[in-house]
């Protein structure tokens, strides 16, 4: 199966290790980083969402209108707009990008963060709302006749959109989470299911949970699987591990100063979302797993988001990514700590190795299949 690579479409140069040097939306840097991804073999970039961050939709439109190939993964929280409005926004962006849009729906795992924008629903209520929201958006994208909706969270009458996506029948829907409620919602509605990088055994368990949820929802095909990591690469293993320890030291130093880029999401104690709880539990059980997975980066941030690292030479990290590919993961998400330079290095030195090996495996699989057909005939 083909493999795809997802990077980050940051709007400034800050990260957990370095404070940003300018405004929260730096137009020149945003374009420079996106172009670096397009020029170095990445398939798409994520425009993430935060309560106080620049609006990702116009930022994505800005990039889509200036680059020709790079695909867009737009993060969206259902609490910030009505689904009729959001569906039109997404369809317009798919038009601007000539059909390069995927939408990632975020349910929200932190009550405090959700409350910053007036969302007071419980976690279970949020999952119910997200599922209803996605169903509405999908219908708007594909319905040319006006319809009514009377649901638990949304009610409207006689609505039909006049703008439709380029992609037919619709853009893909992306979804993530590590709880039973997340599996149920994403298993039913998602085309792509997103996981944070965990040890291989635990990742395999989550993939099976997603597949089971899809079957329970009556689907005959399961969502594609995406897994996210923070790669730390260098020309030698020794240099890579020195870089890894410098990275954690920098994260801890910023956290001790109370820098919001590191502590904002979990500043009120232990994380509420299952995904972050899993990352912390894994880190407490050990620092190194499998070929190259390293957990102190996750521990240093309190399990905040995509935070487990893959450490080593490009060859080591590529082989580690292929281990996840062998589990059935075909979208590999990666984001370094020096966003621009790390995106370039990963694109130059890791992506080609993974693509080459995947092509070999696909060719071997095709040859075995042809041989089996000959024998059967």
């Amino acid at each position: 199966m083909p493999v795809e690579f997802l990077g980050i479409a940051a709007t400034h140069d800050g990260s957990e290790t370095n404070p940003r040097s300018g405004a929260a939306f730096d137009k020149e840097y945003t374009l420079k980083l996106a172009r670096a991804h397009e020029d170095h073999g990445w398939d798409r970039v994520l425009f993430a969402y935060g309560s106080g961050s620049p609006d990702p939709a116009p930022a994505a439109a800005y990039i889509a209108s200036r680059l020709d190939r790079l695909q867009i993964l737009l993060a969206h929280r259902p609490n910030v707009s009505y689904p009729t409005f959001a569906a039109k926004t997404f369809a317009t962006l798919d038009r601007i990008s000539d059909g390069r849009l995927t939408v990632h729906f975020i349910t929200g795992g932190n009550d405090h963060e959700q409350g910053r924008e007036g969302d007071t629903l419980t976690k279970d209520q949020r999952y119910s709302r997200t599922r209803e929201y996605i169903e509405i958006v999908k219908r708007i994208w594909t319905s040319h006749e006006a319809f009514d909706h009377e649901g638990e969270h949304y009610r409207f009458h006689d609505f039909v959109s006049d703008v439709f996506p380029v992609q037919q029948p619709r853009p893909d829907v992306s979804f993530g989470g590590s709880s039973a409620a997340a599996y149920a919602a994403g298993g039913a509605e998602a085309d792509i299911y997103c996981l944070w990088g965990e040890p291989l055994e635990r990742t395999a368990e989550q993939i099976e949970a997603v597949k089971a949820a899809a079957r329970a929802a009556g689907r005959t095909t399961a969502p594609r699987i995406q897994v996210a990591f923070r790669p730390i690469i260098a020309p030698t293993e020794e240099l890579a591990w020195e870089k890894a320890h410098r990275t954690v030291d920098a994260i801890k130093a910023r956290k001790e100063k109370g820098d919001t880029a590191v502590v904002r999401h979990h500043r009120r104690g232990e994380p509420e979302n299952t995904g972050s709880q899993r990352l912390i539990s894994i880190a407490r059980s050990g620092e190194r797993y499998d070929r190259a997975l390293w957990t102190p980066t996750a521990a240093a941030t309190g399990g905040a988001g995509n935070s487990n690292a893959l450490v080593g030479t490009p060859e080591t990290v590529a082989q580690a990514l292929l281990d996840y590919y062998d589990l059935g993961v075909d979208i590999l998400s990666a984001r370094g700590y020096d966003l621009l330079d790390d995106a370039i290095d990963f694109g130059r030195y890791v992506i080609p190795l993974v693509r080459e090996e995947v092509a070999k495996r696909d060719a071997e699989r095709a040859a075995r299949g042809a041989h089996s057909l000959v024998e059967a005939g």
Side-chain angles (χ1 to χ4, degrees):
M1 60 184 176
V3 64
E4 298 180 10
F5 288 91
L6 169 70
I8 190 70
T11 59
H12 58 77
D13 61 357
S15 74
E16 298 94 328
T17 59
N18 299 296
R20 69 176 190 239
S21 61
F25 182 67
D26 181 333
K27 187 168 70 172
E28 288 72 25
Y29 183 84
T30 301
L31 179 58
K32 186 177 183 180
L33 180 62
R35 181 169 285 128
H37 282 86
E38 182 171 85
D39 291 344
H40 291 88
W42 298 79
D43 295 284
R44 62 170 59 87
V45 289
L46 167 66
F47 283 85
Y49 190 93
S51 59
S53 301
D55 187 346
Y62 168 65
I63 293 304
S65 66
R66 284 159 177 79
L67 299 180
D68 299 323
R69 301 184 308 277
L70 193 66
Q71 298 175 53
I72 293 163
L73 178 59
L74 178 69
H76 180 77
R77 286 183 185 167
N79 61 290
V80 300
S81 67
Y82 215 72
T84 50
F85 175 83
K88 294 184 296 181
T89 300
F90 304 147
T92 303
L93 183 51
D94 199 53
R95 287 278 159 186
I96 292 171
S97 66
D98 295 321
R100 287 178 280 150
L101 176 70
T102 299
V103 182
H104 179 67
F105 289 92
I106 302 173
T107 298
N110 182 286
D111 290 345
H112 183 62
E113 168 67 8
Q114 294 299 122
R116 288 187 172 113
E117 293 187 286
D119 188 4
T120 59
L121 297 186
T122 66
K123 186 176 180 181
D124 286 345
Q125 289 171 330
R126 291 199 298 267
Y127 274 112
S128 171
R129 177 183 61 191
T130 300
R131 189 164 177 174
E132 183 179 342
Y133 197 99
I134 294 172
E135 291 170 352
I136 293 169
V137 168
K138 286 180 177 179
R139 186 171 180 185
I140 292 171
W141 280 342
T142 56
S143 297
H144 292 263
E145 300 293 334
F147 67 95
D148 301 337
H149 179 82
E150 294 282 346
E152 179 182 358
H153 301 280
Y154 302 102
R155 295 174 178 83
F156 55 86
H157 302 96
D158 198 37
F159 181 83
V160 63
S161 178
D162 195 34
V163 56
F164 293 91
V166 171
Q167 298 177 77
Q168 293 299 314
R170 59 172 176 78
D172 279 347
V173 165
S174 172
F175 189 91
S178 297
S179 66
Y183 299 145
E189 298 295 339
D191 302 294
I192 299 168
Y193 200 97
C194 307
L195 303 169
W196 290 332
E198 296 187 4
L200 290 165
E201 182 178 0
R202 290 175 179 251
T203 300
E205 291 169 354
Q206 290 209 79
I207 292 173
E208 288 307 311
V210 172
K211 289 180 177 178
R215 289 192 298 268
R219 296 178 60 174
T220 57
T221 58
R224 299 171 64 197
I225 302 296
Q226 172 186 304
V227 177
F229 303 96
R230 305 300 293 271
I232 301 174
I233 62 171
T236 68
E237 296 292 330
E238 181 180 8
L239 290 173
W241 285 104
E242 289 177 1
K243 183 178 178 181
H245 288 288
R246 288 197 307 271
T247 298
V248 167
D249 288 344
I251 294 172
K252 289 179 178 178
R254 293 198 69 197
K255 189 174 182 180
E256 289 171 1
K257 293 179 181 178
D259 285 357
T260 58
V262 181
V263 303
R264 184 171 179 81
H265 292 297
H266 300 330
R267 60 170 51 170
R268 298 207 170 189
E270 290 291 309
E272 300 166 13
N273 62 305
T274 304
S276 292
Q277 292 169 2
R278 288 174 65 99
L279 294 186
I280 291 173
S281 175
I282 291 165
R284 287 171 178 165
S285 297
E287 290 193 355
R288 296 180 66 170
Y289 292 85
D290 305 319
R291 194 186 300 268
L293 190 74
W294 196 55
T295 65
T297 46
T301 62
N306 170 25
S307 50
N308 268 339
L310 292 176
V311 182
T313 63
E315 292 77 12
T316 295
V317 171
Q319 288 300 318
L321 291 170
L322 286 162
D323 290 339
Y324 288 89
Y325 175 82
D326 289 339
L327 290 181
V329 177
D330 65 343
I331 303 176
L332 299 168
S333 175
R335 172 165 57 102
Y337 291 93
D338 184 331
L339 299 178
L340 180 61
D341 288 346
D342 286 348
I344 293 170
D345 285 348
F346 189 88
R348 282 177 174 167
Y349 304 119
V350 178
I351 289 178
L353 294 176
V354 176
R355 291 199 193 280
E356 180 181 4
E357 184 59 32
V358 166
K360 288 180 182 178
R361 294 180 187 196
D362 287 348
E364 291 171 356
R365 189 179 299 112
R368 288 195 298 269
H371 181 70
S372 298
L373 287 175
V374 170
E375 288 187 338

